[in-house]
Amino acid sequence: MATEGPQAGRGVRRLCAQAGELHGAARALREDHHRALDAVRSALAPIRDRLVAEELGSIPVARLKDVTEGRLRLQAMEAAGMTSVRAVHEASRYELRQLPGVGEQTADRALAAARQIARAVAETVSVRIDVDRPEPRTTALVVALHRLVEAGPELRRALDAAARLDERLGALLPVARPAAGRLRMVFAGRKRRTRALAAVAELRQTVRDAQERALRLLLAQATTDLLRPPVSEIEAWVDFELRSAEYYSQLAEISEHRTDVAASEGFLPSDVAERVHAQPLDDTHRRVSLRGYQSFGARFALAQRRVILGDEMGLGKTVQAVAALAHLAAEGHSRFLVVCPAGVLINWTREIRARSTLRALPVHGPDRQDAYAQWCERGGVAVTTFDVLHTLPAPDTSKGAAPALLVVDEAHYVKNPDTRRARTVAVWAGQCERVLFLTGTPMENRVEEFRALLRHVRPDLVPAVRRSDAVAGPQAFRTSVAPAYLRRNQQDVLTELPALLQVDEWEEFSAADQDAYRAAVAEGNFMAMRRAAYADPEKSAKLQRLRELVEEAADNGLKVVVFSYFRDVLAAVAQVLGETTARTPVLGPISGSVPAARRQRLVDDFTGAGGPAVLLSQIEAGGVGLNLQAASVVVLCEPQVKPTLEHQAVARAHRMGQTRPVQVHRLLAADSVDERLLHILENKSRLFDAYARRSDTAEATPDAVDVSDAELARRIVEEEQQRLAGNAAGTACI
């Protein structure tokens, strides 16, 4: 046979050599990854052991009887001073048998019961990494995690590819090798020759696919990332502060912490949950790792096609939507549409570009029709607002122009069917096969509103939604609407997430904001530039977003503290919130002129409020000396020049005594002084300096770390004057 000639043999040998190298690279990556995981587990073990020991120390030794159904006699152990399960767990069999009255059987049963309780405790303890109080054990954990975090989301793709190649090539290579030599094929026998030739064909296809997908380069890059020498302790801590969520995501995956599965899956019935689990989720176009519950949410949207995702604020609804978009793009779909309030349009654009390889196209402003035409022609993710949507021509479904997925953010905006925005969304939703509504408002408290939203996505389910289901409780309600509604709460899924969730809320200047900003830049007034976004409270984009955050927090029963450097900004905030959030008391502001006793009374009133509340404070006055752990949401009206000042203000709420994660929302204006300041806050050398020189004095006084910023302010003013002058010149030339 021609396939058995010398030429064919040499070709097969080359093929086997290529496949062997690819197989070796895949196995090497998996081994390197296992070593990296082992390093994290080794660093994690003593921390978890300590947490388990502390928990066991609080459990009375009498609980051992519960495990053994009362068959254990503990009097001798209690008489010897063993009052907790920890004392028994840490004792050896020999030590227990030395106690008067403790025999071999009692010692064995007691140890077995203590170990059983310890295993149960180990499954529930949550590891918190305290950036303000680093100690050797947590430092070792952060350094070990850094290697995996630095490898980025591409590591998961590389590992998945390596696993497939290792299994496939490991099976094919031994079968194909006889075809590499003529004599081997002669003596192989007919069946073996047939299998060898079939294996060669499969090897050739596998190697070709790997080349087309550049898997060798992907494996090499991932291996290089995992083999980098460990960073210094301070560099690891600085990186942790910049992207703590990614560290906790890795930690939760490695520690295999068990959350309440039913709660993390929104108490869906088993048939719906099974369908969701069976839904694949392609990460080819995704640039972010997902938490388990986030992956489930994206799969839910894909499997159920037309749904409402109602996760509590702070759980990453945007990331789940981006994951669904990326999966559909990998399947070959090209057009997607996101509809949102104007205040979050720029956030969506940035998130899509940062979290995926998809093309984000804002359809907003004077050029919106051109942008829409470009989207119709070239595809991508069009991001538009409720107010703009009605001006866009509906897609021609006969030509397949409908979006593959329509995402409607802050979907409670269309709860009133009589409004223009609701009618417009209804038209688009009717044209789309897949629809994803996002809302952080708990729908089980507003059955009629939920029915209105459900009409957009699953009108067939509306008759089944009864008020009695809501009366029976949130779990019963969610079960009754499971085919179209998924909601998870923070307390159910954030057991291993950081206690601090930071979100940058990017806004575009309104026309009034822009005029005030240009005037401040022309005057060279740095402080006026920083607060220009609040010059006209009624038209302020930042204040509109702040109001939305406060309303969503109120819907979820959360307290909010609002910080600003400027008193007049806080006055504008008080004015807007006072006009629009009557059900939420607004306290303060706390400022430098408010006596200490009065400040504490404001904090006490805020803490004692029976439901949601808002406390306003100047950042320098409220950022030091007050405990605001009643707050679950912190809003920073503008970035601060001094990083430590911002850090201390957040620490007022995010401290011991805080029982749930704290969300920090920083309001930022694009193309402004805010962007310049943000670069400073994220500058690693600046943070490195803060860590390297950390001391009690530095913690108490921001000026002990931060240098004078007069020169910095002057430079930012000059840069903005040049930028705006350049934009004006460019516009004049058009």
Side-chain angles (χ1 to χ4, degrees):
M1 286 185 291
T3 52
E4 297 179 21
Q7 196 71 24
R10 283 194 293 272
V12 173
R13 283 195 292 275
R14 284 196 299 271
L15 176 64
C16 287
Q18 289 177 314
E21 291 175 1
L22 194 59
H23 185 222
R27 296 197 68 177
L29 173 59
R30 300 186 77 186
E31 290 169 0
D32 294 335
H33 184 242
H34 283 309
R35 280 192 288 272
L37 294 181
D38 287 342
V40 174
R41 293 187 182 109
S42 296
L44 179 63
I47 299 175
R48 300 204 73 163
D49 290 346
R50 181 192 63 192
L51 293 172
V52 170
E54 291 173 354
E55 185 70 19
L56 294 178
S58 66
I59 301 175
V61 73
R63 287 287 302 278
L64 296 176
K65 283 187 177 180
D66 299 337
V67 178
T68 59
E69 299 180 354
R71 297 194 303 267
L72 192 60
R73 296 179 180 178
L74 301 172
Q75 294 89 340
M77 297 180 195
E78 292 174 330
M82 290 188 168
T83 58
S84 70
V85 174
R86 176 179 181 175
V88 177
H89 185 256
E90 293 180 348
S92 66
R93 184 170 184 262
Y94 173 79
E95 289 171 330
L96 290 179
R97 290 195 59 189
Q98 298 306 303
L99 300 177
V102 177
E104 180 177 334
Q105 188 178 42
T106 299
D108 289 346
R109 283 184 176 176
L111 284 174
R115 288 167 186 157
Q116 185 175 339
I117 292 175
R119 284 194 295 271
V121 169
E123 292 176 357
T124 61
V125 294
S126 298
V127 174
R128 301 290 190 194
I129 300 175
D130 192 343
V131 71
D132 293 317
R133 297 174 179 82
E135 49 98 13
R137 281 178 290 201
T138 52
T139 297
L141 178 59
V142 171
V143 170
L145 284 169
H146 177 271
R147 187 188 304 274
L148 295 168
V149 172
E150 190 67 17
E154 289 297 296
L155 176 61
R156 174 47 52 198
R157 284 189 59 227
L159 288 169
D160 290 343
R164 291 192 298 268
L165 288 171
D166 189 11
E167 180 182 0
R168 191 77 185 129
L169 296 177
L172 290 174
L173 277 168
V175 181
R177 283 199 174 101
R182 185 177 182 183
L183 286 177
R184 285 192 217 170
M185 287 293 279
V186 170
F187 293 107
R190 178 176 296 179
K191 288 185 179 180
R192 194 175 174 194
R193 282 199 300 269
T194 301
R195 288 198 302 269
L197 293 174
V200 167
E202 289 190 52
L203 268 185
R204 187 171 286 112
Q205 183 61 47
T206 301
V207 170
R208 184 183 300 117
D209 289 345
Q211 290 172 340
E212 291 175 354
R213 298 171 59 193
L215 293 186
R216 187 65 188 274
L217 179 61
L218 180 67
L219 299 179
Q221 183 59 59
T223 296
T224 301
D225 290 337
L226 291 177
L227 292 179
R228 295 186 194 281
V231 297
S232 68
E233 294 178 356
I234 288 185
E235 187 175 350
W237 275 113
V238 168
D239 192 64
F240 173 80
E241 183 162 359
L242 289 172
R243 43 180 178 170
S244 60
E246 296 177 41
Y247 280 77
Y248 276 103
S249 181
Q250 288 285 349
L251 178 61
E253 184 177 339
I254 294 167
S255 63
E256 298 178 346
H257 184 79
R258 296 185 183 179
T259 58
D260 184 336
V261 175
S264 68
E265 296 181 355
F267 301 101
L268 295 181
S270 59
D271 59 327
V272 178
E274 288 172 7
R275 187 157 57 250
V276 173
H277 284 298
Q279 168 66 47
L281 187 62
D282 195 303
D283 65 353
T284 303
H285 295 290
R286 179 161 34 92
R287 287 176 173 165
V288 61
S289 298
L290 301 179
R291 299 284 301 167
Y293 76 88
Q294 292 173 332
S295 174
F296 186 87
R299 294 169 194 270
F300 175 79
L302 293 166
Q304 299 301 101
R305 292 180 173 265
R306 301 175 67 89
V307 300
I308 301 169
L309 179 59
D311 286 346
E312 189 175 1
M313 63 189 300
L315 294 186
K317 292 187 288 294
T318 302
V319 169
Q320 295 174 66
V322 171
L325 293 169
H327 173 87
L328 292 171
E331 287 189 340
H333 298 283
S334 60
R335 291 188 189 86
F336 312 95
L337 178 63
V338 174
V339 184
C340 61
V344 295
L345 181 139
I346 192 170
N347 271 344
W348 267 101
T349 304
R350 286 172 177 258
E351 284 293 292
I352 292 166
R353 291 169 178 168
R355 310 295 185 185
S356 75
T357 63
L358 305 182
R359 176 172 174 264
L361 189 66
V363 180
H364 185 56
D367 299 326
R368 58 182 178 271
Q369 294 298 338
D370 290 340
Y372 180 72
Q374 187 182 139
W375 172 71
C376 291
E377 180 182 347
R378 297 179 53 196
V381 185
V383 185
T384 193
T385 67
F386 291 110
D387 293 333
V388 169
L389 185 64
H390 82 278
T391 70
L392 305 178
D396 186 349
T397 54
S398 65
K399 297 181 179 179
L405 176 62
L406 169 66
V407 179
V408 180
D409 193 17
E410 307 288 357
H412 46 276
Y413 274 48
V414 296
K415 64 188 178 185
N416 184 349
D418 297 328
T419 60
R420 184 176 65 186
R421 65 172 60 139
R423 292 194 299 269
T424 306
V425 167
V427 170
W428 279 82
Q431 303 291 334
C432 297
E433 182 182 351
R434 298 179 182 86
V435 180
L436 174 57
F437 276 21
L438 307 177
T439 175
T441 300
M443 288 289 106
E444 54 264 35
N445 297 341
R446 298 169 174 81
V447 176
E448 290 308 312
E449 292 180 12
F450 181 78
R451 288 165 63 93
L453 295 186
L454 199 58
R455 286 189 184 94
H456 290 286
V457 295
R458 289 289 301 271
D460 58 304
L461 294 178
V462 172
V465 179
R466 302 179 300 273
R467 187 174 297 279
S468 58
D469 293 323
V471 173
Q475 292 184 26
F477 175 82
R478 294 178 206 173
T479 300
S480 71
V481 297
Y485 181 56
L486 177 65
R487 177 177 171 86
R488 280 77 58 90
N489 297 326
Q490 287 184 349
Q491 62 188 20
D492 296 328
V493 297
L494 291 194
T495 53
E496 290 275 356
L497 274 181
L500 188 65
L501 306 172
Q502 302 191 57
V503 180
D504 285 343
E505 302 281 355
W506 287 97
E507 316 299 331
E508 286 185 319
F509 276 143
S510 67
D513 296 338
Q514 187 69 58
D515 290 343
Y517 186 72
R518 286 181 174 276
V521 172
E523 295 171 3
N525 189 331
F526 180 66
M527 291 304 188
M529 290 163 58
R530 292 183 61 198
R531 60 185 191 272
Y534 302 93
D536 187 341
E538 294 183 1
K539 300 177 181 178
S540 168
K542 281 192 178 184
L543 284 176
Q544 172 62 27
R545 183 58 183 152
L546 189 151
R547 183 167 51 216
E548 292 168 354
L549 292 171
V550 169
E551 289 173 351
E552 186 169 350
D555 287 334
N556 288 281
L558 305 179
K559 290 182 168 66
V560 182
V561 59
V562 178
F563 284 115
S564 176
Y565 186 85
F566 305 100
R567 291 189 190 184
D568 54 350
V569 169
L570 293 175
V573 171
Q575 174 188 331
V576 169
L577 294 184
E579 294 172 352
T580 59
T581 55
R583 62 195 176 100
T584 305
V586 179
L587 305 171
I590 293 174
S591 66
S593 61
V594 176
R598 171 62 179 158
R599 295 186 197 184
Q600 190 57 55
R601 282 197 300 274
L602 287 170
V603 173
D604 292 342
D605 291 343
F606 175 69
T607 302
V614 179
L615 178 64
L616 309 180
S617 177
Q618 269 192 290
I619 197 163
E620 288 190 311
V624 178
L626 294 176
N627 295 331
L628 303 174
Q629 60 261 45
S632 295
V633 179
V634 176
V635 178
L636 299 168
C637 290
E638 70 283 322
Q640 303 305 308
V641 178
K642 299 178 183 296
T644 46
L645 187 61
E646 189 169 302
H647 177 79
Q648 286 188 332
V650 172
R652 296 306 98 206
H654 178 222
R655 59 192 296 116
M656 291 182 65
Q658 173 58 250
T659 58
R660 58 186 297 153
V662 174
Q663 303 169 45
V664 180
H665 297 265
R666 186 163 45 186
L667 302 179
L668 303 164
D671 296 323
S672 76
V673 63
D674 290 356
E675 287 211 57
R676 312 294 176 264
L677 285 174
L678 195 61
H679 288 313
I680 295 164
L681 288 171
E682 291 181 346
N683 186 289
K684 289 193 177 187
S685 64
R686 187 83 177 251
L687 280 171
F688 183 97
D689 185 59
Y691 272 103
R693 298 168 55 187
R694 176 163 286 174
S695 65
D696 292 339
T697 302
E699 286 296 313
T701 309
D703 292 336
V705 171
D706 293 307
V707 297
S708 170
D709 294 293
E711 177 64 21
L712 174 69
R714 184 188 62 77
R715 179 162 51 88
I716 289 177
V717 168
E718 290 178 352
E719 289 176 356
E720 284 297 275
Q721 288 175 336
Q722 292 171 5
R723 182 180 68 84
L724 292 181
N727 287 348
T731 302
C733 292
I734 293 175

